[in-house]
Amino acid sequence: MSELQKSGASAQRAAIVGTGSYAPARVMTNADFEKIVDTTDEWITTRTGIKERHFAAEDEATSDMAAEAARRALQAAGAAADEVEMIVVATITPDMPFPNTACLVQEKIGARKAFCFDIEAACSGFVYAAEIARRFVEGGALRTALVIGAEKMSSMIDWKDRSTCVLFGDGAGAAVIQPSRDGRGIRGAVLHSDGSLGELLMVPGGGSRAPASHESVDKGLHFLKMQGREVFKYAVNNMTAAALEVLEKTGLKKDQIACVIPHQANHRIIKAVADRVGIPLERFFINVDRYGNTSAASVIIALDEAVRSGRVRPGDLVMFLVFGGGFTWGAMVLEWSG
Ligand code: UT7
């Protein structure tokens, strides 16, 4: 019988027992963008809520940011790197096609016992990865998983396209997932995808469909392309639906949710979701103004900030709400154990 079962705590409920995040030092403000594309601080602020974002140094890759966030999460969890049995990195900006970024993180932090893989679900990636880790831990297959969302979005930004370049930022967040020590932890999740809408948000080149070539680079196929207005509508509708579905699945009422951590793409999307779900905007944690859209890193950076600032406290019910390319979307509810 495991210690957990002996203690009488809920059988193998998995919990996030520590978080960490990392934002690269270089900050670019909206005023800085005014100098490189035809835009204004006023447009960016009113249309997105973004004021500034962090960008990695040229020699700083996704795995470097991921490893730093991982070290901070392990420290917060009081766990050693050699206790980690699984590393999952959610990213659309891996250091390279392979080896996977999780293997690179393993080497950097010295987590020799871990098996390592990446998952790609765009901005929804962290919640997808956390749900995978949760299932391994709940099933008793392992005790310590490290789940990371990390992105160097600056590596796929078209700096001449004002409709996308102002939106994104770089960074990483990490969570240590272990069996719950106090019965609190992850209550449930819903995950969805719709591959018919993939063309609305994509990087068309650099894969097996259009491998890197002089022609693909000349055409800018390695840059992120987005039909923003369309994506906006689906983001609002699908995040709203996921919020209501996860409440139903977990048997919780919206009044019980102390803090919603939505994907940080656009302040207007977050407000629209708050209005439709019927949870006051004050209960949504928002940091898009300081980070922009960091894709798979967004919600775990936000949770880390919310926890460290005392905005999320032990016993609070927290809801992640995510949406991204694919399309992918989902929600997860957890009771923070601290
Ligand atoms: O993370 C994955 C999910 N991604 C998202 O959730 C992003 C979803 N989409 C959005 O957040 C918004 O659609 C955007 C912020 C991308 C754009 O806001 P919008 O209110 O939908 O603007 P729009 O694309 O309809 O463009 C309105 C106008 C256009 O000019 P015209 O055609 O009306 O003359 C654009 O050319 O704003 C223009 N515009 C800009 N103007 C100044 C587009 N980008 C800029 C810019 N500065 N940076």
Side-chain angles (χ1 to χ4, degrees), residues 33 37-41 43-44 46-48 50 122-124 153 161-168 201 224 226-233 235-236 239 263-269 293-295 323-325 327:
F33 272 100
V37 285
D38 179 16
T39 191
T40 58
D41 172 44
W43 190 95
I44 302 171
T46 54
R47 305 314 291 166
T48 72
I50 300 166
C123 306
S124 309
M153 296 302 288
D161 176 8
R162 69 174 184 173
S163 71
T164 55
C165 70
V166 301
L167 303 175
F168 297 95
L201 176 51
L224 180 148
M226 178 165 71
Q227 294 179 37
R229 214 175 298 182
E230 285 301 299
V231 174
F232 189 109
K233 284 185 232 152
V236 171
M239 285 165 78
H263 174 46
Q264 310 282 323
N266 185 322
H267 192 281
R268 288 187 297 135
I269 294 177
N293 181 347
T294 58
S295 182
F323 179 83
F327 285 159

Side-chain angles (χ1 to χ4, degrees), residues 24-327:
R26 185 159 73 99
V27 172
M28 198 159 162
T29 64
N30 293 346
D32 295 327
F33 272 100
E34 288 178 353
K35 293 175 203 144
I36 62 168
V37 285
D38 179 16
T39 191
T40 58
D41 172 44
E42 203 254 328
W43 190 95
I44 302 171
T45 305
T46 54
R47 305 314 291 166
T48 72
I50 300 166
K51 298 298 282 184
E52 60 186 37
R53 67 294 280 152
H54 294 255
F55 286 128
E58 252 176 58
D59 62 352
E60 196 173 28
T62 296
S63 70
D64 299 316
M65 296 186 280
E68 191 47 40
R71 289 184 197 102
R72 294 174 187 183
L74 286 168
Q75 189 177 35
D82 64 8
E83 287 173 50
V84 176
E85 292 160 282
M86 176 171 99
I87 303 176
V88 194
V89 174
T91 188
I92 51 172
T93 52
D95 287 26
M96 56 196 78
F98 73 91
N100 69 53
T101 310
C103 282
L104 302 174
V105 171
Q106 173 195 34
E107 171 62 12
K108 285 181 206 295
I109 67 172
R112 283 168 208 85
K113 290 189 199 135
F115 65 94
C116 307
F117 59 100
D118 291 359
I119 70 134
E120 197 274 82
C123 306
S124 309
F126 178 79
V127 167
Y128 272 58
E131 178 65 353
I132 293 167
R134 168 203 176 201
R135 298 292 179 175
F136 272 91
V137 171
E138 277 186 354
L142 51 86
R143 290 190 65 84
T144 302
L146 186 54
V147 179
I148 302 170
E151 301 283 15
K152 186 173 177 176
M153 296 302 288
S154 56
S155 66
M156 58 167 61
I157 288 174
D158 180 350
W159 298 95
K160 293 194 175 122
D161 176 8
R162 69 174 184 173
S163 71
T164 55
C165 70
V166 301
L167 303 175
F168 297 95
D170 300 339
V176 177
I177 298 187
Q178 290 181 334
S180 169
R181 296 162 201 160
D182 56 7
R184 292 169 176 158
I186 299 169
R187 294 282 192 94
V190 295
L191 301 176
H192 293 289
S193 305
D194 184 348
S196 71
L197 299 166
E199 289 189 358
L200 296 177
L201 176 51
M202 70 191 308
V203 175
S208 60
R209 176 72 57 196
S213 64
H214 288 295
E215 197 193 350
S216 76
V217 172
D218 288 346
K219 286 185 178 160
L221 300 185
H222 53 295
F223 291 135
L224 180 148
K225 324 269 180 209
M226 178 165 71
Q227 294 179 37
R229 214 175 298 182
E230 285 301 299
V231 174
F232 189 109
K233 284 185 232 152
Y234 285 105
V236 171
N237 289 341
N238 291 341
M239 285 165 78
T240 301
L244 298 174
E245 187 186 350
V246 82
L247 286 172
E248 193 178 336
K249 187 170 178 179
T250 53
L252 294 165
K253 304 251 175 306
K254 47 194 170 195
D255 305 348
Q256 293 175 270
I257 303 297
C259 185
V260 181
I261 304 220
H263 174 46
Q264 310 282 323
N266 185 322
H267 192 281
R268 288 187 297 135
I269 294 177
I270 297 171
K271 177 158 187 335
V273 171
D275 289 347
R276 287 179 189 210
V277 175
I279 295 179
L281 190 60
E282 302 75 60
R283 275 195 260 150
F284 282 63
F285 185 86
I286 300 172
N287 64 6
V288 69
D289 51 324
R290 289 175 291 114
Y291 287 90
N293 181 347
T294 58
S295 182
S298 123
V299 289
I300 182 57
I301 292 175
L303 177 65
D304 185 51
E305 285 202 335
V307 166
R308 285 174 196 264
S309 66
R311 171 76 188 273
V312 165
R313 295 167 188 280
D316 280 354
L317 286 165
V318 176
M319 181 193 286
F320 285 125
L321 273 183
V322 288
F323 179 83
F327 285 159

